[in-house]
Amino acid sequence: MVGSIRRAALAAGIVASISASAFAFDKPPTAPVRPVTDRYFGTDVVDNYRYMENLKDPDVQAWMKAQANFTRQQLDALPGRKALLQRVHAWLNTDVYRGSFVRRGQRYFYQEFQPNEPLPKLFYRDGLKGAEHLLIDPAALGNGTATHVALDYFVPSWDGKFLAYGLSEGGSEKGKLHVLKVDGARVLSEAIDRTDEDQVAWRPDNASFFYLRYAKPAADTPRSQTMYNARAYLHVVGANADGDGDAVVFGRGVSPRLDVPEGQVSYLITAPDSGYAIAVANHNNDNNPSTVFVAPLAAIKNADTPWRKVADVEDGVTKTVPHGDRLFYLTQKGASNFRLMSTPMGNPDIDKADTIVPQGAAVLTDFSIAKEGLYVREREGAAAQLVLVSFDGRQARPVPKPFEGTVYAAVTDSRESGAFFGAAGWVHPLSRMSYDPATNAVTDTGLVPPFRIDTSNLAAKEVVAVSYDGTRIPLSIIYRKGIHLDGTNPTILEGYGSYGNTEETYFENPNLAWVERGGIYAIAHVRGGGEFGDAWHRGAYMLTKPNTFLDFIACGQYLVDAHYTSSRYLAGEGASAGGITVGGALTWRPDLFGVILDDVGMSDTLRFETEPNGPPNISEFGSVKTEAGFHGLYAMSAYAHVHDGVAYPAVLFETGANDPRVAPWHMAKMTARVQAATSSHRPVLLRVDFDAGHGIGSTTSQYENELADEWSFALWQMGDPAFQPPRAH
């Protein structure tokens, strides 16, 4: 996913030897144009900034640093930014938050966000009321280094006595797997690299586990293959500390007798009460359909493991969990809202599987297993609930909801009774609840202390926007009570719409810093997400992908037509694959939005396939190697649809220099192209965090500053008097 900028820069009369910090201009540095033309199935596509894909080129680095420095100068000059940052910090650090719970018997592991701490810490306690014990403080691990360390994942053994966990630096997600003994928090010798994903499966002996590992790249390994075809290995605690020598047990090419399809990851799933393991070959380490195999645990030792195929991708199997001698799984085949099924693992046959929960009006999004049955999460519209279902599906009862809002997947242990879950609303902070099936009672665990935030002056409204083809698009609007619908309210419209991921109902503390100023925060539930099951996902997928940004545009138009805001005060925001969403809004309706906030956004979809995270995403977006794939990718490419002389809105592009998911060159190329094309004279800035990646693992300070930059930029461009920089003399 090149040439040197230096020669072109010199030709333009710019002295290339100037350090990046010297670019203190009244406008950002211009990027040289070096067009490359590709012909795709008879269509010529010109790329003026292909050379930026070589991020190691010193001149590309210098240009990005110059852009970042210019952006920093612009944003730091906004008078209201400092006060806004203080409000973001205050709201984010008001309360203690505990999340990411994992249960092992009566031992609970969780991450805790403490006020004014840079990163969450990992704790455990025995019993919900037990004493809290610190296991890992990532901030302490980064002391004395030039970057920060993040805890990427953690997986306790079934007896809760050992913990496998991943650490990475600078938001890179390039993790190493470590192991510690929980009692005493003693770190053992393991340090296994190329273990970036959280797919660790302990064996019942609690002394060994399966994990996935990417191959070590050779000098000639294409970038597009460096995060592909990870294999599953067996590790015994205390042996092969660096992982070299661990037996490979599953993956593409492991056994000539087993046809494992290409994909990003191959991993195993185990359970403490089952003598079987599930092997999954997944294209993008997500919840989309996978190829699934099973084998007896005792037979999994090396490449000769007798795996038996259960399902192919076309069978629509998503989440799988072993329980005893049964395999429970969700499937979308013939059921857009999903069905929960079961088949024996000794003789699996999904064509004759038992239906535990049939398809209904609600979307089945998740399930977990406890001693008494299956806790199934059902979502209908903006709200979700849990239903306790017997293992044979004959009995079902809803788990009482603690308040009007939504509940999240249950945390359970298949050897224990009861469930533990989170509940929240758009204006209701998260609570952690416990359910006792014997009494059918839900109680607050107290693990999340009562919030000191008063939300009584906030309101949330669910409305519907109508897209170009008549499809009704849910739109959630959060605001302060008493606002006037006069078209002058600063408004952020957020959208995503890929992979079947749903924009779940959730309370975001920092958003109060926006809302308390009279701002509106809105969430567009566009096609491509999973709000209404697989059909909603497929409604903006590959060739139909433009529906994602056309739905987003419809939601923006609704906010204007209903006088919540007007174009001058409307900001479109998207991140990652949401870059397709806001990129489409930018290029298709530049008149509708006053501001675009594009964070680590996928923009040049025609070239995405060439980067490490590209091939895993072919199943979602398509490939330029096929004619249909090219047309789909061309239609969704914001970069390919920027045109000279168009009055584009103000844009803040953002990236992390260590981003492993969407390469920083997406935002660099998009910045250069829009800066050169726009006729509006409104700022187009590139924000780069050189100690961050995709945002995963960033510190609270990084997060706070990013929000302050985005919102200050938006308020500046919306004309808020408190954010207008002093005029130059």
Side-chain angles (χ1 to χ4, degrees), residues 209-233:
F209 56 81
F210 304 105
Y211 68 99
L212 69 80
R213 193 181 196 188
Y214 291 103
K216 187 175 183 178
D220 59 349
T221 301
R223 282 178 294 176
S224 62
Q225 297 298 308
T226 56
M227 291 177 61
Y228 210 48
N229 290 327
R231 296 173 170 181
Y233 293 80

PDB file of all heavy atoms in Angstrom, residues 209-233:
ATOM      1  N   PHE A 209      -2.882 -23.638  27.453  1.00  0.00           N
ATOM      2  CA  PHE A 209      -3.933 -22.946  26.707  1.00  0.00           C
ATOM      3  C   PHE A 209      -3.587 -22.901  25.229  1.00  0.00           C
ATOM      4  O   PHE A 209      -2.425 -23.081  24.822  1.00  0.00           O
ATOM      5  CB  PHE A 209      -4.143 -21.527  27.240  1.00  0.00           C
ATOM      6  CG  PHE A 209      -2.907 -20.658  27.252  1.00  0.00           C
ATOM      7  CD1 PHE A 209      -2.459 -20.003  26.102  1.00  0.00           C
ATOM      8  CD2 PHE A 209      -2.192 -20.479  28.432  1.00  0.00           C
ATOM      9  CE1 PHE A 209      -1.330 -19.200  26.116  1.00  0.00           C
ATOM     10  CE2 PHE A 209      -1.055 -19.673  28.455  1.00  0.00           C
ATOM     11  CZ  PHE A 209      -0.625 -19.034  27.302  1.00  0.00           C
ATOM     12  N   PHE A 210      -4.623 -22.664  24.436  1.00  0.00           N
ATOM     13  CA  PHE A 210      -4.456 -22.442  23.008  1.00  0.00           C
ATOM     14  C   PHE A 210      -4.459 -20.939  22.750  1.00  0.00           C
ATOM     15  O   PHE A 210      -5.168 -20.177  23.418  1.00  0.00           O
ATOM     16  CB  PHE A 210      -5.593 -23.099  22.228  1.00  0.00           C
ATOM     17  CG  PHE A 210      -5.747 -24.566  22.485  1.00  0.00           C
ATOM     18  CD1 PHE A 210      -6.785 -25.045  23.283  1.00  0.00           C
ATOM     19  CD2 PHE A 210      -4.861 -25.476  21.936  1.00  0.00           C
ATOM     20  CE1 PHE A 210      -6.937 -26.395  23.535  1.00  0.00           C
ATOM     21  CE2 PHE A 210      -5.000 -26.842  22.178  1.00  0.00           C
ATOM     22  CZ  PHE A 210      -6.043 -27.300  22.990  1.00  0.00           C
ATOM     23  N   TYR A 211      -3.682 -20.502  21.784  1.00  0.00           N
ATOM     24  CA  TYR A 211      -3.630 -19.079  21.438  1.00  0.00           C
ATOM     25  C   TYR A 211      -3.341 -18.955  19.954  1.00  0.00           C
ATOM     26  O   TYR A 211      -2.887 -19.905  19.306  1.00  0.00           O
ATOM     27  CB  TYR A 211      -2.556 -18.366  22.258  1.00  0.00           C
ATOM     28  CG  TYR A 211      -1.127 -18.776  21.922  1.00  0.00           C
ATOM     29  CD1 TYR A 211      -0.332 -18.006  21.075  1.00  0.00           C
ATOM     30  CD2 TYR A 211      -0.576 -19.948  22.453  1.00  0.00           C
ATOM     31  CE1 TYR A 211       0.971 -18.378  20.760  1.00  0.00           C
ATOM     32  CE2 TYR A 211       0.720 -20.326  22.145  1.00  0.00           C
ATOM     33  CZ  TYR A 211       1.492 -19.539  21.301  1.00  0.00           C
ATOM     34  OH  TYR A 211       2.777 -19.916  20.986  1.00  0.00           O
ATOM     35  N   LEU A 212      -3.622 -17.801  19.395  1.00  0.00           N
ATOM     36  CA  LEU A 212      -3.325 -17.593  17.978  1.00  0.00           C
ATOM     37  C   LEU A 212      -2.093 -16.712  17.824  1.00  0.00           C
ATOM     38  O   LEU A 212      -1.804 -15.842  18.658  1.00  0.00           O
ATOM     39  CB  LEU A 212      -4.521 -17.016  17.222  1.00  0.00           C
ATOM     40  CG  LEU A 212      -5.004 -15.588  17.476  1.00  0.00           C
ATOM     41  CD1 LEU A 212      -4.157 -14.564  16.739  1.00  0.00           C
ATOM     42  CD2 LEU A 212      -6.447 -15.451  17.027  1.00  0.00           C
ATOM     43  N   ARG A 213      -1.387 -16.957  16.740  1.00  0.00           N
ATOM     44  CA  ARG A 213      -0.142 -16.221  16.481  1.00  0.00           C
ATOM     45  C   ARG A 213       0.017 -16.030  14.986  1.00  0.00           C
ATOM     46  O   ARG A 213      -0.191 -16.967  14.196  1.00  0.00           O
ATOM     47  CB  ARG A 213       1.053 -16.985  17.039  1.00  0.00           C
ATOM     48  CG  ARG A 213       2.347 -16.182  17.112  1.00  0.00           C
ATOM     49  CD  ARG A 213       3.480 -17.025  17.658  1.00  0.00           C
ATOM     50  NE  ARG A 213       4.618 -16.190  18.078  1.00  0.00           N
ATOM     51  CZ  ARG A 213       5.803 -16.666  18.450  1.00  0.00           C
ATOM     52  NH1 ARG A 213       6.005 -17.975  18.449  1.00  0.00           N
ATOM     53  NH2 ARG A 213       6.769 -15.836  18.807  1.00  0.00           N
ATOM     54  N   TYR A 214       0.397 -14.816  14.602  1.00  0.00           N
ATOM     55  CA  TYR A 214       0.685 -14.537  13.199  1.00  0.00           C
ATOM     56  C   TYR A 214       2.084 -15.047  12.852  1.00  0.00           C
ATOM     57  O   TYR A 214       2.971 -15.122  13.706  1.00  0.00           O
ATOM     58  CB  TYR A 214       0.615 -13.034  12.920  1.00  0.00           C
ATOM     59  CG  TYR A 214      -0.778 -12.470  12.998  1.00  0.00           C
ATOM     60  CD1 TYR A 214      -1.192 -11.744  14.109  1.00  0.00           C
ATOM     61  CD2 TYR A 214      -1.698 -12.669  11.974  1.00  0.00           C
ATOM     62  CE1 TYR A 214      -2.473 -11.230  14.199  1.00  0.00           C
ATOM     63  CE2 TYR A 214      -2.981 -12.161  12.046  1.00  0.00           C
ATOM     64  CZ  TYR A 214      -3.369 -11.442  13.166  1.00  0.00           C
ATOM     65  OH  TYR A 214      -4.638 -10.944  13.250  1.00  0.00           O
ATOM     66  N   ALA A 215       2.259 -15.390  11.584  1.00  0.00           N
ATOM     67  CA  ALA A 215       3.572 -15.844  11.122  1.00  0.00           C
ATOM     68  C   ALA A 215       4.572 -14.698  11.167  1.00  0.00           C
ATOM     69  O   ALA A 215       4.214 -13.528  10.996  1.00  0.00           O
ATOM     70  CB  ALA A 215       3.459 -16.391   9.702  1.00  0.00           C
ATOM     71  N   LYS A 216       5.820 -15.028  11.398  1.00  0.00           N
ATOM     72  CA  LYS A 216       6.878 -14.019  11.395  1.00  0.00           C
ATOM     73  C   LYS A 216       7.125 -13.569   9.959  1.00  0.00           C
ATOM     74  O   LYS A 216       7.432 -14.386   9.093  1.00  0.00           O
ATOM     75  CB  LYS A 216       8.165 -14.582  11.994  1.00  0.00           C
ATOM     76  CG  LYS A 216       9.255 -13.537  12.171  1.00  0.00           C
ATOM     77  CD  LYS A 216      10.466 -14.126  12.876  1.00  0.00           C
ATOM     78  CE  LYS A 216      11.523 -13.062  13.117  1.00  0.00           C
ATOM     79  NZ  LYS A 216      12.690 -13.626  13.844  1.00  0.00           N
ATOM     80  N   PRO A 217       6.958 -12.263   9.666  1.00  0.00           N
ATOM     81  CA  PRO A 217       7.115 -11.818   8.275  1.00  0.00           C
ATOM     82  C   PRO A 217       8.545 -12.017   7.775  1.00  0.00           C
ATOM     83  O   PRO A 217       9.515 -11.770   8.511  1.00  0.00           O
ATOM     84  CB  PRO A 217       6.765 -10.324   8.342  1.00  0.00           C
ATOM     85  CG  PRO A 217       6.041 -10.135   9.631  1.00  0.00           C
ATOM     86  CD  PRO A 217       6.588 -11.164  10.566  1.00  0.00           C
ATOM     87  N   ALA A 218       8.668 -12.468   6.551  1.00  0.00           N
ATOM     88  CA  ALA A 218       9.972 -12.541   5.899  1.00  0.00           C
ATOM     89  C   ALA A 218      10.241 -11.221   5.182  1.00  0.00           C
ATOM     90  O   ALA A 218       9.368 -10.351   5.095  1.00  0.00           O
ATOM     91  CB  ALA A 218       9.992 -13.697   4.909  1.00  0.00           C
ATOM     92  N   ALA A 219      11.452 -11.067   4.685  1.00  0.00           N
ATOM     93  CA  ALA A 219      11.819  -9.819   4.015  1.00  0.00           C
ATOM     94  C   ALA A 219      10.936  -9.541   2.811  1.00  0.00           C
ATOM     95  O   ALA A 219      10.684  -8.384   2.469  1.00  0.00           O
ATOM     96  CB  ALA A 219      13.287  -9.878   3.593  1.00  0.00           C
ATOM     97  N   ASP A 220      10.440 -10.592   2.155  1.00  0.00           N
ATOM     98  CA  ASP A 220       9.626 -10.411   0.952  1.00  0.00           C
ATOM     99  C   ASP A 220       8.128 -10.606   1.208  1.00  0.00           C
ATOM    100  O   ASP A 220       7.348 -10.717   0.263  1.00  0.00           O
ATOM    101  CB  ASP A 220      10.088 -11.376  -0.144  1.00  0.00           C
ATOM    102  CG  ASP A 220      10.003 -12.839   0.287  1.00  0.00           C
ATOM    103  OD1 ASP A 220       9.787 -13.096   1.493  1.00  0.00           O
ATOM    104  OD2 ASP A 220      10.160 -13.725  -0.574  1.00  0.00           O
ATOM    105  N   THR A 221       7.709 -10.646   2.466  1.00  0.00           N
ATOM    106  CA  THR A 221       6.286 -10.805   2.765  1.00  0.00           C
ATOM    107  C   THR A 221       5.531  -9.529   2.427  1.00  0.00           C
ATOM    108  O   THR A 221       5.871  -8.456   2.939  1.00  0.00           O
ATOM    109  CB  THR A 221       6.066 -11.134   4.250  1.00  0.00           C
ATOM    110  OG1 THR A 221       6.757 -12.335   4.583  1.00  0.00           O
ATOM    111  CG2 THR A 221       4.582 -11.303   4.556  1.00  0.00           C
ATOM    112  N   PRO A 222       4.524  -9.584   1.569  1.00  0.00           N
ATOM    113  CA  PRO A 222       3.747  -8.374   1.256  1.00  0.00           C
ATOM    114  C   PRO A 222       3.060  -7.841   2.510  1.00  0.00           C
ATOM    115  O   PRO A 222       2.667  -8.599   3.399  1.00  0.00           O
ATOM    116  CB  PRO A 222       2.716  -8.872   0.230  1.00  0.00           C
ATOM    117  CG  PRO A 222       3.251 -10.162  -0.278  1.00  0.00           C
ATOM    118  CD  PRO A 222       4.044 -10.762   0.823  1.00  0.00           C
ATOM    119  N   ARG A 223       2.908  -6.528   2.575  1.00  0.00           N
ATOM    120  CA  ARG A 223       2.245  -5.929   3.736  1.00  0.00           C
ATOM    121  C   ARG A 223       0.842  -6.489   3.919  1.00  0.00           C
ATOM    122  O   ARG A 223       0.354  -6.636   5.037  1.00  0.00           O
ATOM    123  CB  ARG A 223       2.182  -4.413   3.571  1.00  0.00           C
ATOM    124  CG  ARG A 223       3.497  -3.707   3.873  1.00  0.00           C
ATOM    125  CD  ARG A 223       3.381  -2.210   3.644  1.00  0.00           C
ATOM    126  NE  ARG A 223       3.175  -1.880   2.238  1.00  0.00           N
ATOM    127  CZ  ARG A 223       2.970  -0.649   1.775  1.00  0.00           C
ATOM    128  NH1 ARG A 223       2.925   0.363   2.615  1.00  0.00           N
ATOM    129  NH2 ARG A 223       2.813  -0.424   0.487  1.00  0.00           N
ATOM    130  N   SER A 224       0.195  -6.816   2.812  1.00  0.00           N
ATOM    131  CA  SER A 224      -1.182  -7.296   2.890  1.00  0.00           C
ATOM    132  C   SER A 224      -1.292  -8.678   3.531  1.00  0.00           C
ATOM    133  O   SER A 224      -2.395  -9.122   3.849  1.00  0.00           O
ATOM    134  CB  SER A 224      -1.794  -7.340   1.485  1.00  0.00           C
ATOM    135  OG  SER A 224      -1.077  -8.239   0.656  1.00  0.00           O
ATOM    136  N   GLN A 225      -0.172  -9.359   3.745  1.00  0.00           N
ATOM    137  CA  GLN A 225      -0.210 -10.705   4.316  1.00  0.00           C
ATOM    138  C   GLN A 225       0.337 -10.761   5.737  1.00  0.00           C
ATOM    139  O   GLN A 225       0.395 -11.843   6.335  1.00  0.00           O
ATOM    140  CB  GLN A 225       0.595 -11.660   3.430  1.00  0.00           C
ATOM    141  CG  GLN A 225       0.028 -11.825   2.033  1.00  0.00           C
ATOM    142  CD  GLN A 225      -1.362 -12.417   2.044  1.00  0.00           C
ATOM    143  OE1 GLN A 225      -1.610 -13.456   2.649  1.00  0.00           O
ATOM    144  NE2 GLN A 225      -2.295 -11.755   1.369  1.00  0.00           N
ATOM    145  N   THR A 226       0.737  -9.640   6.309  1.00  0.00           N
ATOM    146  CA  THR A 226       1.369  -9.654   7.629  1.00  0.00           C
ATOM    147  C   THR A 226       0.370  -9.843   8.767  1.00  0.00           C
ATOM    148  O   THR A 226       0.765 -10.185   9.881  1.00  0.00           O
ATOM    149  CB  THR A 226       2.169  -8.359   7.868  1.00  0.00           C
ATOM    150  OG1 THR A 226       1.298  -7.227   7.688  1.00  0.00           O
ATOM    151  CG2 THR A 226       3.336  -8.259   6.899  1.00  0.00           C
ATOM    152  N   MET A 227      -0.912  -9.601   8.521  1.00  0.00           N
ATOM    153  CA  MET A 227      -1.940  -9.819   9.537  1.00  0.00           C
ATOM    154  C   MET A 227      -2.996 -10.771   8.991  1.00  0.00           C
ATOM    155  O   MET A 227      -4.194 -10.544   9.095  1.00  0.00           O
ATOM    156  CB  MET A 227      -2.584  -8.489   9.960  1.00  0.00           C
ATOM    157  CG  MET A 227      -1.667  -7.573  10.728  1.00  0.00           C
ATOM    158  SD  MET A 227      -2.446  -5.984  11.138  1.00  0.00           S
ATOM    159  CE  MET A 227      -3.823  -6.528  12.160  1.00  0.00           C
ATOM    160  N   TYR A 228      -2.540 -11.882   8.434  1.00  0.00           N
ATOM    161  CA  TYR A 228      -3.451 -12.805   7.755  1.00  0.00           C
ATOM    162  C   TYR A 228      -3.054 -14.232   8.093  1.00  0.00           C
ATOM    163  O   TYR A 228      -1.874 -14.549   8.326  1.00  0.00           O
ATOM    164  CB  TYR A 228      -3.365 -12.569   6.248  1.00  0.00           C
ATOM    165  CG  TYR A 228      -4.635 -12.874   5.490  1.00  0.00           C
ATOM    166  CD1 TYR A 228      -5.865 -12.394   5.923  1.00  0.00           C
ATOM    167  CD2 TYR A 228      -4.613 -13.641   4.334  1.00  0.00           C
ATOM    168  CE1 TYR A 228      -7.033 -12.666   5.220  1.00  0.00           C
ATOM    169  CE2 TYR A 228      -5.770 -13.908   3.618  1.00  0.00           C
ATOM    170  CZ  TYR A 228      -6.979 -13.419   4.071  1.00  0.00           C
ATOM    171  OH  TYR A 228      -8.138 -13.689   3.377  1.00  0.00           O
ATOM    172  N   ASN A 229      -4.054 -15.100   8.113  1.00  0.00           N
ATOM    173  CA  ASN A 229      -3.842 -16.529   8.317  1.00  0.00           C
ATOM    174  C   ASN A 229      -3.086 -16.854   9.606  1.00  0.00           C
ATOM    175  O   ASN A 229      -2.163 -17.676   9.623  1.00  0.00           O
ATOM    176  CB  ASN A 229      -3.124 -17.144   7.113  1.00  0.00           C
ATOM    177  CG  ASN A 229      -4.007 -17.199   5.880  1.00  0.00           C
ATOM    178  OD1 ASN A 229      -5.216 -17.375   5.983  1.00  0.00           O
ATOM    179  ND2 ASN A 229      -3.411 -17.036   4.708  1.00  0.00           N
ATOM    180  N   ALA A 230      -3.472 -16.198  10.698  1.00  0.00           N
ATOM    181  CA  ALA A 230      -2.930 -16.567  12.002  1.00  0.00           C
ATOM    182  C   ALA A 230      -3.344 -17.995  12.329  1.00  0.00           C
ATOM    183  O   ALA A 230      -4.446 -18.431  11.998  1.00  0.00           O
ATOM    184  CB  ALA A 230      -3.433 -15.609  13.075  1.00  0.00           C
ATOM    185  N   ARG A 231      -2.465 -18.709  13.007  1.00  0.00           N
ATOM    186  CA  ARG A 231      -2.727 -20.104  13.355  1.00  0.00           C
ATOM    187  C   ARG A 231      -2.880 -20.263  14.868  1.00  0.00           C
ATOM    188  O   ARG A 231      -2.441 -19.406  15.635  1.00  0.00           O
ATOM    189  CB  ARG A 231      -1.581 -20.985  12.850  1.00  0.00           C
ATOM    190  CG  ARG A 231      -1.440 -21.009  11.339  1.00  0.00           C
ATOM    191  CD  ARG A 231      -0.188 -21.767  10.928  1.00  0.00           C
ATOM    192  NE  ARG A 231      -0.132 -22.013   9.493  1.00  0.00           N
ATOM    193  CZ  ARG A 231       0.858 -22.669   8.888  1.00  0.00           C
ATOM    194  NH1 ARG A 231       1.871 -23.146   9.608  1.00  0.00           N
ATOM    195  NH2 ARG A 231       0.834 -22.854   7.588  1.00  0.00           N
ATOM    196  N   ALA A 232      -3.464 -21.383  15.263  1.00  0.00           N
ATOM    197  CA  ALA A 232      -3.666 -21.669  16.683  1.00  0.00           C
ATOM    198  C   ALA A 232      -2.565 -22.614  17.169  1.00  0.00           C
ATOM    199  O   ALA A 232      -2.240 -23.608  16.508  1.00  0.00           O
ATOM    200  CB  ALA A 232      -5.039 -22.295  16.908  1.00  0.00           C
ATOM    201  N   TYR A 233      -2.021 -22.299  18.354  1.00  0.00           N
ATOM    202  CA  TYR A 233      -0.930 -23.068  18.951  1.00  0.00           C
ATOM    203  C   TYR A 233      -1.326 -23.518  20.356  1.00  0.00           C
ATOM    204  O   TYR A 233      -2.210 -22.934  20.990  1.00  0.00           O
ATOM    205  CB  TYR A 233       0.337 -22.222  19.038  1.00  0.00           C
ATOM    206  CG  TYR A 233       0.944 -21.868  17.701  1.00  0.00           C
ATOM    207  CD1 TYR A 233       0.420 -20.830  16.932  1.00  0.00           C
ATOM    208  CD2 TYR A 233       2.041 -22.568  17.202  1.00  0.00           C
ATOM    209  CE1 TYR A 233       0.971 -20.509  15.696  1.00  0.00           C
ATOM    210  CE2 TYR A 233       2.604 -22.247  15.965  1.00  0.00           C
ATOM    211  CZ  TYR A 233       2.061 -21.217  15.220  1.00  0.00           C
ATOM    212  OH  TYR A 233       2.611 -20.903  14.006  1.00  0.00           O
TER     213      TYR A 233
END
